[in-house]
Every structure is written in C-alpha cells, then in structure tokens.
Amino acid sequence: MIDDRDRRLLALLQKDAETPLNVLAEKLALSPSACSRRLARLKADGYVTRTMAVLSREKINLPTTVYLLVKTSRHSEDWLQRFHAAVSSIPEILEVHRLTGNYDYILKLALPNVEYYDTIYKAIIRQVELSDMSAHISMETVKLSTALPVGHI
Amino acid sequence: MIDDRDRRLLALLQKDAETPLNVLAEKLALSPSACSRRLARLKADGYVTRTMAVLSREKINLPTTVYLLVKTSRHSEDWLQRFHAAVSSIPEILEVHRLTGNYDYILKLALPNVEYYDTIYKAIIRQVELSDMSAHISMETVKLSTALPVGHI
DNA sequence: TGTGAAACTATTCCGTT
DNA sequence: AACGGAATAGTTTCACA
C-alpha cells in the first residue's frame, strides 16, 4: 500500500517541503501529475500531517537548550491539571514527556540565555509544587535530526 | 528592523508553511506582494532556514519515544569521534546533546516499540564504550511544541 | 507599499497501459 | 490502480505607480 517511491517522497519532503513537483518527479522518475497524486494521498492518509517553517534558533534569540528532569510526590488529579496548565502556558517549554524510571517528567526548554532559566523556574514553581528539579544545560548539540527515518513503515 | 508583522508571519509559517500568500496577507493586513517580499527577506536574512513536512509518528511506525541519559569515563578525541560516528549512523537517534551536570549526554530516540530499544542499545555499545546509560521511556507526550516563541527577537 | 499583468506551479481531467 | 500529457486553476513574482 505504501511503496518505495512514497518513502522517498516522504524523505525528500522532510528535507525540503518547498521542492517543486517537477523536481520531486524527476528524482522519483515519475511525472509531476503522478507525484501530485501521491502527495495528496499521503496527506489524506495522514502520513504528512502538515508542513512548517523551520526557524533559526540563533536568529530568533533562543540559542540555549536546557533539559529539566523533574520528580514529584504529588500525583493527584488536581496537581496534574495545574502541571498541564503551567507547561502549556509557557511557550519556552517546547516538550514535556511523562517518563518511566527515576524521573517523572522531562522538559525541553528553548531560552535566550542560561540566566533566563531562572525566570522559567520561577514561573513553574509558582504554579505547581515539585519535589525535585534538575537542570541540564546543553553545551553542544551533537545531533539534531528533524527528519524521521522512513524505513519502518 | 524586524517588526510585529514579521513576528506574526514567522508564527503563522511555523504553524503552516503552505498557507497561500493571499491568506497570510489578509491576516497581516497587507497585500500578497508585500507579504511575499517580507517572506523573501526573512529567508534571505536566515530567520527561516527551510520548510519541512511533519510526519505522523504513528503512521510512520515510530510511536515510541525514549530518552537516554549517558555517562562516560573516556573523553579522548578518539572516543568522541567514534561517538559522533555512532549517533549519526543511527537514524532512530533524533537528538544528541552534550550536557552540564551529572550526565554527559542526552539522546532522544524514535522507535517502533519499546523492545526495539535493545537493537539501538546494541548498535551503540558495539561502537563506543559508555560507563552508564539509563533509558527513560516516554509514557505520555504532555506537550510537543514545534513552534518556537517569537517574542524574544 | 499596492495594483495588475506575466510567469510559474500545481491540480484535474482524460485517454492509455 | 496508476501512469503521462494536456488543459485548467491557483499562486507567486515583477514592473510600475
């Protein structure tokens, strides 16, 4: 139902969603119209959810990445709600996952600088109580892949 | 040099990079051509680096997210090179950051299932020695924002 | 910056394999 | 069921005010 051309198309579109259909068509050894139909199908079937502009973290003045590992003793419904509300109200918090293991949550932050972490820290603890919170500043981004591998489909 | 319309344009393009210029123009109270010129400038100045298709993790058969916290005793040039080579050769490793604090590195993985972690684990330790490695499986994605806040520019 | 024409790109239709 | 080519529709860019 999904063939190798579809996979290659998905890989290409993850790299550059603005590639014109005639160029994509050429790379896939297809006509532009066939390419257009495949793309429409991949969207309709939910493989491609949307397309987005990738901004420069430096230009946008958010060069610093910080990970927060969080533990909590409170696991009530009320606590959860306040936690959800807190993290969704702070746009510098990019990701939040609930984890297995020693920590309850991991948060990923994008900040203008390391000092700014204090602002976020205060904004969080004002809204919810946490039993432990350790910040880990990224000193170097060794790898940052925005393209998911397409070989598991 | 960057005004509020530019910021709004960046925010809109992060949500949907396929929005036609005439509807962007409408939202910004501008003409399509003025909008086109602003976009071209934002790209030329490096604010927008590229545009990409966002794929469904479920559809692509990579629903599971795992974080790896890694410690190492070896910090030689040779070790570093092998580590870089290892992580860049494994496409399921989406992100790698070198950290401050108790851990040396954090890795983010996208996997077909939890069991698949073993495959990645073996692929890593075959290439580099690590003194400690703890896996944290994401049980729930509480927040996943692909759009960077645009208020710090 | 906006307007409108021109250029370009994408989509749909149709006949074919 | 999927393709290529042609016609159509839509989008972007350019010249000029």
Side-chain angles (χ1 to χ4, degrees):
Chain A
M1 170 179 174
I2 247 204
D3 67 9
D4 201 58
R5 278 201 175 109
D6 290 318
R7 274 183 282 270
R8 276 155 60 205
L9 187 50
L10 290 171
L12 289 166
L13 292 170
Q14 283 189 101
K15 285 208 288 244
D16 182 3
E18 279 176 324
T19 317
L21 283 172
N22 54 19
V23 178
L24 293 172
E26 207 175 319
K27 300 197 186 202
L28 300 181
L30 268 181
S31 70
S33 62
C35 225
S36 168
R37 282 187 295 255
R38 276 173 184 265
L39 178 52
R41 197 170 56 81
L42 289 169
K43 284 178 183 171
D45 292 351
Y47 290 91
V48 177
T49 45
R50 53 189 249 273
T51 193
M52 66 174 283
V54 179
L55 306 191
S56 159
R57 286 275 293 263
E58 283 70 30
K59 276 290 188 173
I60 241 64
N61 195 29
L62 292 168
T64 303
T65 301
V66 173
Y67 283 95
L68 252 52
L69 289 165
V70 163
K71 291 181 201 185
T72 175
S73 38
R74 320 268 282 91
H75 289 279
S76 65
E77 187 57 44
D78 176 62
W79 184 91
L80 261 172
Q81 255 175 13
R82 283 211 314 285
F83 184 65
H84 276 243
V87 300
S88 53
S89 73
I90 302 171
E92 290 84 2
I93 301 178
L94 302 185
E95 290 187 43
V96 180
H97 297 267
R98 185 163 58 79
L99 299 180
T100 61
N102 302 319
Y103 301 101
D104 294 315
Y105 291 94
I106 188 167
L107 323 212
K108 181 187 185 184
L109 315 184
L111 307 176
N113 49 59
V114 174
E115 292 71 38
Y116 199 88
Y117 167 63
D118 197 52
T119 310
I120 303 293
Y121 174 75
K122 283 174 181 158
I124 297 173
I125 60 162
R126 195 175 52 236
Q127 299 185 60
V128 286
E129 58 275 41
L130 298 167
S131 76
D132 189 53
M133 205 165 163
S134 63
H136 299 264
I137 301 153
S138 169
M139 290 284 94
E140 180 194 3
T141 300
V142 177
K143 179 175 185 176
L144 195 137
S145 156
T146 49
L148 299 167
V150 105
H152 293 280
I153 312 174
Chain B
M1 168 180 171
I2 248 205
D3 66 9
D4 201 59
R5 278 201 175 109
D6 291 317
R7 274 184 282 270
R8 275 156 60 205
L9 187 49
L10 291 172
L12 289 167
L13 292 170
Q14 284 189 100
K15 285 208 288 247
D16 181 3
E18 278 177 325
T19 318
L21 287 170
N22 55 19
V23 347
L24 291 172
E26 207 175 317
K27 301 196 185 201
L28 300 180
L30 268 180
S31 71
S33 63
C35 227
S36 166
R37 284 187 290 257
R38 277 174 185 264
L39 215 187
R41 198 170 56 78
L42 290 170
K43 284 178 182 170
D45 293 351
Y47 289 92
V48 177
T49 46
R50 52 188 250 272
T51 195
M52 64 175 284
V54 179
L55 306 192
S56 159
R57 287 275 294 265
E58 283 71 29
K59 276 290 187 174
I60 243 62
N61 196 28
L62 292 169
T64 303
T65 301
V66 173
Y67 282 96
L68 252 50
L69 289 165
V70 162
K71 292 182 200 185
T72 175
S73 38
R74 320 268 282 92
H75 288 281
S76 65
E77 186 57 43
D78 176 62
W79 184 91
L80 261 171
Q81 255 175 14
R82 285 211 313 286
F83 184 65
H84 276 243
V87 300
S88 53
S89 72
I90 302 170
E92 291 84 0
I93 301 178
L94 301 184
E95 290 187 43
V96 180
H97 297 267
R98 185 163 58 81
L99 298 180
T100 62
N102 303 320
Y103 301 102
D104 294 315
Y105 291 94
I106 188 167
L107 322 214
K108 182 187 184 183
L109 315 184
L111 307 176
N113 49 59
V114 175
E115 293 72 36
Y116 199 88
Y117 167 64
D118 197 51
T119 309
I120 303 292
Y121 174 75
K122 283 174 182 160
I124 297 173
I125 61 162
R126 196 173 51 233
Q127 299 184 60
V128 286
E129 59 274 42
L130 298 167
S131 76
D132 190 54
M133 205 165 163
S134 63
H136 298 264
I137 301 153
S138 170
M139 289 284 94
E140 179 194 3
T141 300
V142 177
K143 179 176 185 175
L144 193 137
S145 156
T146 50
L148 299 167
V150 105
H152 293 279
I153 315 175

